[in-house]
Amino acid sequence: MSKLEQIKAAEAKLLLHTYDRNSILFVRGEGVHIIDEKGDRYLDLLSGIGVNALGYGHPAIERAILNQSRALIHTSNLFYHEGQAELALRLTERAGLDRAFFANTGTEAIEGALKLARAHAGLLRSEGKLIGTKVLALECGFHGRTFGAVSATHKAKYREPFAPVVPGFEFVKFNDVADLRENFSNEVCAILVESIQGEGGIRPLTQEFFAEARELASSTGALLISDEIQAGLGRTGKWFGYQHYGILPDVTTLAKPLAGGLPLGAILCTEEAARAIHAGMHGTTFGGGPLACAVAIAVLETIESEGLLAHATEVGNYFQQQLRTLANKHESIVEVRGKGLMIGAELDSADLAKLIVAEMLKRHIVINCTSDTVLRFLPPYILERAHVDATIAALDEIFTEHAAAFSGTAASQAAGGNRV
């Protein structure tokens, strides 16, 4: 029995059945490639679901891990260490916000942001303001797997198995300004959005919708929360997706690429929002530990020193241009959308999308499918045009060979009618 088969057998016996894994055992990585037990190299255009922004084996991350692990890995948040304030300064300066809280994951950051919104509304009520506890989130949004996060996540498949979920969440039609206005009132303590929906199909907010959300929240004291867990920290070519709109939220949440593969999430917020939290109201054992903070600082420094924001914009624009050229050739590609290196290509068939992901993996290129019909590309920021060209050639070959067999299946049917 191979090592892979041994691991598969052990997992089948020992782990909860939460993942439908591909039958590949990866053992190391280099740059934009991840390498399996046989030494085969795969071009990773998913980067651990948006995590490995600097690719694999980047010397800045290796140095930070080595140096910090020799010095101090963990202290708990009962004591000071050198990393949190420095990382908070770097993040708040780039975000245009004032204060930070460090967690371990994106879903924990969302939980903290929701608690902050409820606490802030309670503070306003104590000061005589009329404001409720309701949270408005968007249809097709995704915010995580914990109870608060899943309660704010639209698709029933994420919520219904765990019902009853946390009360007080309502959903607004994506980019529908009229529906947002209709559902907003002084009963709302927060509007939760993604500047670009990730799991929902790489769908950017419109300028009009985002601006209206900002205006409505400001009118009552509700908090505008921008979930930047997938779009943030340079993936779109700016530090934060909301910066493409010139709109500043009250709260933002971060995670995926923040610590280069180590678990780290963050909440950033304004001074006004931070008024609601005092010692003992919220906390974490591991969040913002010395090792994760040291690596996160190295990641931010590297993105800046290597010009990766501009690079993500340039290569991302090229990638989208090549995908649109491919769409002109293959009518099964309905739409290409995204910003920087957060890119989706919507197809007219969920079955075709699933097949293409599998066929790309056979060609040693890693992508995935989200929202049933959208091919999702979240490559490392160090991706080059040559990697894009290889990807487009592979996609062209697969579409040419297989797309005709799937013609006639509408994307709107496969995705439940959620089209842009």
Side-chain angles (χ1 to χ4, degrees):
M1 185 182 292
S2 70
K3 188 174 183 180
L4 173 60
E5 293 304 317
Q6 292 176 35
I7 291 172
K8 288 171 66 175
E11 288 198 358
K13 181 179 179 180
L14 298 169
L15 299 188
L16 286 178
H17 296 163
T18 52
Y19 301 110
D20 185 15
R21 303 193 202 275
N22 292 291
S23 191
I24 300 172
L25 175 59
F26 286 123
V27 296
R28 62 190 180 91
E30 295 175 0
V32 296
H33 293 93
I34 190 166
I35 302 164
D36 70 14
E37 60 175 333
K38 297 177 287 187
D40 292 334
R41 299 168 67 86
Y42 292 72
L43 176 59
D44 187 1
L45 301 184
L46 193 57
S47 63
I49 316 182
V51 168
N52 298 311
L54 303 184
Y56 297 92
H58 196 287
I61 293 178
E62 292 180 347
R63 279 194 304 271
I65 291 173
L66 177 63
N67 293 338
Q68 189 60 47
S69 66
R70 286 175 169 172
L72 186 65
I73 292 177
H74 178 73
T75 62
S76 88
N77 283 300
L78 297 177
F79 303 96
Y80 293 98
H81 67 79
E82 295 177 323
Q84 281 199 20
E86 181 179 353
L87 179 56
L89 176 63
R90 292 169 184 262
L91 289 172
T92 54
E93 284 183 340
R94 287 159 177 79
L97 295 168
D98 302 310
R99 292 186 179 267
F101 173 85
F102 295 109
N104 303 285
T105 64
T107 195
E108 288 176 63
I110 288 292
E111 290 289 324
L114 294 172
K115 289 173 72 175
L116 180 61
R118 290 269 176 89
H120 180 258
L123 176 65
L124 294 184
R125 285 193 298 274
S126 74
E127 296 172 345
K129 191 129 185 169
L130 185 62
I131 188 168
T133 60
K134 188 185 300 182
V135 176
L136 296 184
L138 300 191
E139 291 186 357
C140 299
F142 180 89
H143 299 287
R145 305 280 189 167
T146 48
F147 257 112
V150 83
S151 302
T153 292
H154 174 250
K155 286 188 178 179
K157 71 176 184 179
Y158 295 118
R159 292 182 288 109
E160 288 183 351
F162 310 106
V165 294
V166 179
F169 291 82
E170 294 183 2
F171 297 100
V172 174
K173 294 175 184 176
F174 181 73
N175 278 338
D176 189 324
V177 173
D179 196 47
L180 176 62
R181 288 173 181 158
E182 183 177 341
N183 283 278
F184 186 83
S185 70
N186 59 13
E187 289 299 312
V188 173
C189 70
I191 302 174
L192 174 61
V193 302
E194 297 161 89
S195 58
I196 302 176
Q197 289 189 335
E199 297 294 322
I202 316 298
R203 305 197 305 166
L205 290 183
T206 62
Q207 182 72 36
E208 182 186 13
F209 187 93
F210 209 171
E212 185 66 18
R214 174 67 280 174
E215 184 175 341
L216 289 172
S218 297
S219 71
T220 65
L223 299 183
L224 176 61
I225 305 172
S226 184
D227 177 344
E228 296 282 332
I229 290 165
Q230 194 165 133
L233 295 172
R235 176 156 297 284
T236 68
K238 291 186 181 292
W239 283 111
F240 298 88
Y242 60 76
Q243 291 171 335
H244 291 281
Y245 298 84
I247 290 171
L248 185 67
D250 302 293
V251 183
T252 192
T253 55
L254 308 171
K256 290 187 180 293
L258 179 53
L262 273 66
L264 184 62
I267 305 165
L268 308 180
C269 67
T270 61
E271 287 284 3
E272 169 58 28
R275 288 198 306 125
I277 295 292
H278 58 72
M281 287 182 69
H282 191 53
T284 170
T285 296
F286 293 103
L291 183 61
C293 285
V295 176
I297 290 166
V299 169
L300 296 179
E301 287 178 342
T302 303
I303 291 172
E304 208 149 60
S305 66
E306 295 187 2
L308 293 180
L309 296 182
H311 184 77
T313 299
E314 188 271 323
V315 177
N317 288 343
Y318 178 72
F319 204 157
Q320 291 185 59
Q321 175 191 343
Q322 297 305 107
L323 284 170
R324 291 189 176 101
T325 299
L326 196 65
N328 291 333
K329 182 177 179 180
H330 301 286
E331 63 181 13
S332 53
I333 304 176
V334 176
E335 185 178 16
V336 176
R337 52 185 180 259
K339 289 279 188 184
L341 289 173
M342 185 176 181
I343 302 170
E346 185 169 358
L347 309 188
D348 63 1
S349 163
D351 290 334
L352 176 59
K354 184 176 180 180
L355 178 140
I356 285 175
V357 171
E359 288 294 319
M360 289 290 277
L361 195 60
K362 289 178 184 177
R363 290 161 174 79
H364 292 181
I365 300 175
V366 179
I367 64 172
N368 85 332
C369 176
T370 189
S371 195
D372 295 326
T373 58
V374 180
L375 302 180
R376 178 169 57 171
F377 306 90
L378 301 172
Y381 304 174
I382 59 174
L383 192 77
E384 299 290 347
R385 285 188 176 214
H387 303 126
V388 175
D389 292 341
T391 300
I392 296 298
L395 287 169
D396 188 19
E397 181 181 275
I398 297 166
F399 276 110
T400 298
E401 182 175 352
H402 296 285
F406 296 89
S407 61
T409 304
S412 58
Q413 294 173 340
N418 296 315
R419 295 290 304 280
V420 175

